[in-house]
Amino acid sequence: MTTPDAPERGAATGTGDRSRPRAALVALCLTQVTSWGIVFYAFPVLNPQIIHATGWPAAATTAAFSAALLVSAIAGIRVGRIIDHRGPRTVMTAGSVLGVLSILIVAAAPNLAVFVAGWLLAGLSMAATFYQPAFAAITRWWAPDHIRALTIVTLAGGLASTVFAPTTAALAEQLSWRATYAVLALVLAVVTVPAHAFALKAPWPKAPPAPAHITGGADAVARSRPFWMLAAALTFSAFAVSAVVVALVPLLLERGYSTTAAAWALGLGGAGQTLGRTLYATLARRTGTTTRTIALIALGALTTAALALVPGPYALLVALSVAAGMVRGNLTLLQATAITDRWGTTHYGRLSGLLAAPTTAASALAPFAGAALAAPLGGYPHLFGLLALIAGLAALVTFGTTPRRPAPKR
């Protein structure tokens, strides 16, 4: 374990002799694409058709989806504990089954109440199949070379919208939204259930001992000031980042650009996110934990501020969107490695679940909050200015996230 201010060379390039199930890595790449693509990204594509066909309010259907994210945030804490003790196979397989059931319930919902119930069940599936459980599995199996494996999985996960948004749209052109969701549920069952059940069978390594500077176990870490400061910093940052993604198109529309131009800017920002993730391992080798955390969150604040202040030209706005996307891509991996970098891998699943809960909740609430604040603030440029301030506050809070180490014995 390196000190928080020293470059984690081992974390990025280590050659630990622990057995690493390569089939698990391939399976997790495949299941992240499929789970995110169907349980998450299909909804924004189908929601307009759902609203038109059922007459349910847009606010209600969107709230049901956001409620799933909130359930995921809460359930993820328990999921992390289970994986720490038993490994990922059972919980991720069960999560895949729940995902299939939840999408089928959504597809067959005769009324809004059942629709909401389906999404609440989907939240449990998200907690058991999305990034957090996959990160916990990879960190235990691959440490200390986990950054490379984490990068591979997040690169695959980044393709979820690329693959399933157009696939969902193509299905919806030929089928009703209910039939489309039924087809997608079948795909989810065929791909993710057997992949989790059969590819995650490798022996679950015993938890390594905690670093020498960690005393009192996971409970002590979870109650410590650095942990809660880290949670606060990442929560503020997640709120700002999520609001920026959703508000970018309205920002460009307000500045006179077409819907197509705004959509391209957002899409190219997603490409920047994938590019950013390929650079994280190099960044991890060359920077310390605290320095890297402050720098990435501060860069998020700077790109948001630039989008608030720069009205054009369009090429410059696209460049800023790509830069913001690169920061987002790095922030995903930053959160995935935040626990290991500071407190080791002993209780990664539990601590990661605790850390992810408020950030997931913030990400779920940010789109609504951003839309609600834009008009009172005087427009989307002013909203982006506020989001930049929030991200800047997150960068300042990060200074308090370094665990104290005992003084060396003389």
Side-chain angles (χ1 to χ4, degrees), residues 224-234 394 396-402:
S224 68
R225 182 175 179 272
F227 183 87
W228 286 106
M229 294 289 279
L230 178 64
L234 293 179
L396 292 176
V397 171
T398 304
F399 282 99
T401 64
T402 302

Side-chain angles (χ1 to χ4, degrees), residues 320-343:
L320 289 173
S321 178
V322 171
M326 292 177 68
V327 174
R328 289 198 304 273
N330 278 279
L331 285 171
T332 300
L333 287 166
L334 179 74
Q335 179 163 337
T337 57
I339 296 298
T340 306
D341 290 344
R342 293 169 174 82
W343 296 286

Side-chain angles (χ1 to χ4, degrees), residues 50-85:
I50 294 171
I51 296 165
H52 177 75
T54 62
W56 298 335
T61 58
T62 306
F65 182 72
S66 293
L69 296 175
L70 294 175
V71 169
S72 172
I74 297 169
I77 298 172
R78 179 60 180 165
V79 167
R81 290 188 180 189
I82 294 172
I83 291 178
D84 273 344
H85 292 291

Side-chain angles (χ1 to χ4, degrees), residues 19 44 63 123 181 214 224 231 255 284 292 307 309 342 350 377 405:
S19 175
Y181 258 140
I214 303 300
S224 68
R255 285 180 166 157
R292 180 166 63 254
L307 287 167
L309 296 172
R342 293 169 174 82
R350 180 182 177 186
L377 289 172
R405 295 174 180 269

Side-chain angles (χ1 to χ4, degrees), residues 257-270:
Y257 295 99
S258 69
T259 302
T260 301
W264 270 104
L266 179 62
L268 290 171

Side-chain angles (χ1 to χ4, degrees), residues 10 28 41 55 67 90 141 152 178 216 221 225 233 235 283-284 299 320 363 383 388 410:
L28 288 172
Y41 286 109
T90 300
W141 270 323
I152 292 171
R178 295 181 187 276
V221 171
R225 182 175 179 272
T235 299
L283 182 65
L299 284 172
L320 289 173
S363 297
L383 172 64
R410 295 182 179 180

Side-chain angles (χ1 to χ4, degrees), residues 8-368:
E8 288 92 27
R9 299 184 185 279
T13 61
T15 55
D17 58 359
R18 187 176 295 137
S19 175
R20 295 169 180 169
R22 295 186 182 278
L25 185 61
V26 174
L28 288 172
C29 288
L30 182 62
T31 60
Q32 287 301 299
V33 172
T34 308
S35 296
W36 276 97
I38 292 173
V39 182
F40 189 91
Y41 286 109
F43 174 77
V45 176
L46 292 176
N47 194 37
Q49 191 179 123
I50 294 171
I51 296 165
H52 177 75
T54 62
W56 298 335
T61 58
T62 306
F65 182 72
S66 293
L69 296 175
L70 294 175
V71 169
S72 172
I74 297 169
I77 298 172
R78 179 60 180 165
V79 167
R81 290 188 180 189
I82 294 172
I83 291 178
D84 273 344
H85 292 291
R86 302 179 185 177
R89 183 190 182 194
T90 300
V91 70
M92 295 193 77
T93 303
S96 292
V97 173
L98 286 178
V100 174
L101 291 175
S102 68
I103 295 302
L104 289 175
I105 291 171
V106 167
N111 53 53
L112 185 58
V114 176
F115 184 83
V116 171
W119 279 113
L120 295 178
L121 186 63
L124 297 176
S125 172
M126 293 176 185
T129 58
F130 278 12
Y131 277 146
Q132 292 306 317
F135 289 166
I138 289 169
T139 298
R140 179 72 68 86
W141 270 323
W142 262 264
D145 197 27
H146 54 287
I147 290 181
R148 184 176 295 123
L150 289 171
T151 301
I152 292 171
V153 169
T154 55
L155 286 173
L159 297 174
S161 61
T162 305
V163 173
F164 279 96
T167 299
T168 301
L171 287 171
E173 289 180 357
Q174 305 298 324
L175 305 170
S176 69
W177 71 269
R178 295 181 187 276
T180 298
Y181 258 140
V183 172
L184 292 175
L186 177 62
V187 174
L188 188 67
V190 169
V191 174
T192 66
V193 175
H196 287 148
F198 297 111
L200 303 183
K201 294 192 299 183
W204 189 235
K206 291 183 179 180
H213 69 283
I214 303 300
T215 58
D219 289 338
V221 171
R223 291 193 299 266
S224 68
R225 182 175 179 272
F227 183 87
W228 286 106
M229 294 289 279
L230 178 64
L234 293 179
T235 299
F236 286 136
S237 176
F239 180 90
V241 166
S242 298
V244 164
V245 171
V246 176
L248 181 62
V249 169
L251 173 74
L252 296 183
L253 292 176
E254 191 171 298
R255 285 180 166 157
Y257 295 99
S258 69
T259 302
T260 301
W264 270 104
L266 179 62
L268 290 171
Q273 183 170 301
T274 301
L275 175 61
R277 288 171 178 169
T278 66
L279 305 176
Y280 187 80
T282 300
L283 182 65
R285 286 196 298 270
R286 297 181 178 180
T287 60
T289 300
T290 303
T291 300
R292 180 166 63 254
T293 306
I294 294 170
L296 287 174
I297 295 177
L299 284 172
L302 287 174
T303 54
T304 303
L307 287 167
L309 296 172
V310 176
Y314 177 71
L316 180 55
L317 291 171
V318 170
L320 289 173
S321 178
V322 171
M326 292 177 68
V327 174
R328 289 198 304 273
N330 278 279
L331 285 171
T332 300
L333 287 166
L334 179 74
Q335 179 163 337
T337 57
I339 296 298
T340 306
D341 290 344
R342 293 169 174 82
W343 296 286
T345 62
T346 308
H347 305 288
Y348 178 90
R350 180 182 177 186
L351 294 176
S352 180
L354 287 169
L355 190 65
T359 60
T360 303
S363 297
L365 296 173
F368 290 100

